[in-house]
Amino acid sequence: MSALPDTASKRRPLLATAALLLALVPAGAAFAADSLDSRIGEGLFRRMWVAAPTATQAADGLGPLYNARSCATCHPRGGGGRPPDPASEGDQGVGFALKLSGDPVYGRQIQSNAILGQVIEGRPTVAYREETVRFPDGETVRLRRPTHGVKDLGYGPLAEATALSARVSPRVHGMGLLDLIPEAELQAEADRQSRDGVVAGRPNRVPMDGVPRIGRFGWKATHPTLAQQDAEAFSLDIGMSTPDYREPWGDCTPAQTACREAHHGDSKQFEGLEIPSTVIGLIDAYLRTLPPDGSLEAPKDKAGGALFAATGCAACHRPSYTTGADPAHPTLSKQVIFPHSDLLLHDMGDGLADEVPMGEARGRDWRTTPLWGLNRLAKDDGRLSLLHDGRARSVTEAILWHGGEAEKARKNFMDLPRDARKRLVRYVLGL
Ligand code: HEC
Ligand code: HEC
């Protein structure tokens, strides 16, 4: 069951429900969005889903096992998350999730929450070992190397072969623009890199409706479209069914019988699902309007940009792309954008590797993270959680973890005079 009738393709009935849905948008919320759809979508992004069954049936179907009740819980103000703080007992972090290589009982992700009467799968833990890196000029930086685990396992031990990969939630602004970069452009960039031989980025390829597509969203570029990424979030993180992931029990395996047999919110009038395509479309419309401003412009610091290129960063963190034409999204079409990412996979070495391959991404492969807007929200809390598991607390730490294809760029950075290092970091924070 869900929020909206099945009116995906019909505008008028959709607008008719707008007043109802707008009532769900918190009063005084700062709308990044301009159109009605995206305002409704923002309400749905923030909506706290509840367990089925409910009398109103307006927002039920949560879980039975889940990580968080809303998108916004893990992507506060569209921003990214942070890992649990081992120094503060019981802290679960924000938007932090443990992916599994595919466990026969626990499935693809540890769900650390459950509706009433169900047992949680466990609580992710992180422990850090500190290491010191010394620059040639004597300055030192402390890095923290994480080890992840799960405590309070609810369904017996994990299988011996099950590997863990920790992820923090990425920032989600600019997604609509990244969605519109033509696949041919991504392939052309990979071809160029393979000719130039400096780095060796390649696209992840994942089947979608039986056709291999280039992935671009997620830390390992496992999702070809924004809508598909949103649908997986409903399934894995919130435990709700969508047209792409039809099981109402989300990530529960056949071994988790109580979860499979619990009340579900699927309903005939909503495409037989908990979340119909209409809702995905509205959330999509909201995400497409982020960011409102700022990082859409070319960086003003030209000298910083030259240093970024000379150090070897721009080889993967490609400054700009041009979006394709899409009549459905005229304001996002044919825009020169500055994400500072090629959106391709790169071998980043053993220091960052996991043992959870996804699509064609192996353990050492990660998608170049777009750097735009990196500091936009961090200013508020003054500390960063960078890289896929949030281990790096600063841009400097993040760079020092770069290995594999980025080894040369890391060395170049180490050898820069202190002033130039600071300059480069400032440039990245200003994107
Ligand atoms: C439990 C926390 C959690 C919840 C709830 C959650 N997400 Fe995420 N989100 C993540 C994590 C972690 C990732 C990175 C996944 C990966 O690649 O391993 C992610 C990735 C994404 C991305 C891709 C960003 C990029 O840079 O490629 C989008 C878009 C997104 N989420 C949207 C949503 C939407 C929409 C919802 C609600 C339906 C949602 N998320 C709910 C944690 C969460
Ligand atoms: C070989 C390709 C490559 C090169 C060269 C490279 N990077 Fe990266 N960068 C990546 C990938 C891939 C990631 C994601 C790694 C992860 O999360 O485990 C990343 C992540 C980052 C992050 C963390 C962003 C975030 O939000 O988590 C920063 C900051 C960064 N790079 C800056 C730089 C700078 C500065 C340079 C030059 C000194 C550089 N990178 C060179 C590929 C590269």
Side-chain angles (χ1 to χ4, degrees), residues 9 50 56 80 92 95 98 104 121 126 134 147 166 228 297 308 331-332 337 372 405 431:
S9 54
V50 297
T56 64
Q92 296 286 296
L98 274 183
E121 289 191 327
V126 54
R134 186 177 299 274
T147 310
Q228 207 234 348
E297 290 153 32
F308 186 78
T331 56
L332 305 181
I337 58 170
W372 58 1
E405 288 174 41
L431 291 174

Side-chain angles (χ1 to χ4, degrees), residues 164-421:
L164 306 177
S165 183
R167 308 289 168 84
V168 291
S169 49
R171 303 171 292 277
V172 292
H173 55 258
M175 297 293 114
L177 292 161
L178 299 182
D179 204 32
L180 285 195
I181 300 170
E183 288 198 3
E185 282 297 309
L186 301 177
Q187 186 59 56
E189 174 63 22
D191 294 344
R192 182 163 38 247
Q193 290 185 12
S194 119
R195 275 196 310 276
D196 295 353
V198 179
V199 292
R202 48 194 186 86
N204 198 353
R205 268 175 226 285
V206 282
M208 201 172 124
D209 302 325
V211 183
R213 294 280 306 272
I214 293 185
R216 62 184 77 193
F217 297 111
W219 290 104
K220 285 193 191 267
T222 33
H223 297 286
T225 66
L226 195 50
Q228 207 234 348
Q229 168 83 53
D230 301 346
E232 188 186 78
F234 269 118
S235 178
L236 277 185
D237 299 325
I238 309 183
M240 298 180 84
S241 59
T242 59
D244 282 339
Y245 299 84
R246 305 194 70 90
E247 293 84 11
W249 47 77
D251 189 37
C252 287
T253 60
Q256 295 172 309
T257 45
C259 170
R260 291 255 181 151
E261 286 161 11
H263 267 296
H264 298 295
D266 282 355
S267 153
K268 233 189 244 155
Q269 52 173 330
F270 298 106
E271 303 171 19
L273 297 164
E274 292 168 333
I275 300 290
S277 49
T278 334
V279 168
I280 299 280
L282 290 165
I283 289 182
D284 222 72
Y286 165 60
L287 288 178
R288 277 178 204 283
T289 60
L290 296 172
D293 50 30
S295 46
L296 286 178
E297 290 153 32
K300 292 187 184 61
D301 177 4
K302 299 293 171 224
L307 184 58
F308 186 78
T311 310
C313 312
C316 302
H317 295 278
R318 171 178 154 151
S320 79
Y321 268 114
T322 303
T323 62
D326 180 353
H329 306 289
T331 56
L332 305 181
S333 294
K334 293 281 168 202
Q335 299 290 311
V336 182
I337 58 170
F338 301 89
H340 288 74
S341 168
D342 56 11
L343 295 185
L344 300 175
L345 295 174
H346 294 272
D347 179 335
M348 294 298 282
D350 287 331
L352 289 172
D354 63 18
E355 291 169 51
V356 181
M358 292 184 162
E360 291 180 9
R362 298 155 305 186
R364 296 159 63 113
D365 296 333
W366 300 96
R367 177 198 69 169
T368 308
T369 316
L371 298 178
W372 58 1
L374 187 145
N375 196 34
R376 214 163 53 105
L377 298 152
K379 274 185 205 126
D380 292 346
D381 62 15
R383 69 174 264 222
L384 298 169
S385 296
L386 302 179
L387 300 173
H388 63 272
D389 52 14
R391 70 177 74 179
R393 294 159 292 191
S394 66
V395 169
T396 303
E397 284 184 38
I399 298 168
L400 294 177
W401 281 108
H402 281 49
E405 288 174 41
E407 182 60 29
K408 183 89 195 314
R410 188 187 64 83
K411 284 216 179 84
N412 292 343
F413 176 73
M414 294 275 306
D415 291 340
L416 289 176
R418 188 185 299 220
D419 281 357
R421 291 203 301 271

Side-chain angles (χ1 to χ4, degrees), residues 102-107 159 162 253-255:
D103 186 89
V105 175
Y106 290 89
T162 299
T253 60

Side-chain angles (χ1 to χ4, degrees), residues 4 7-8 10-18 21 37 40 278 282:
L4 282 175
T7 54
K10 303 186 210 111
R11 299 295 301 170
R12 204 172 300 138
L14 178 56
L15 286 175
T17 57
L21 282 157
D37 278 8
I40 300 169
T278 334
L282 290 165

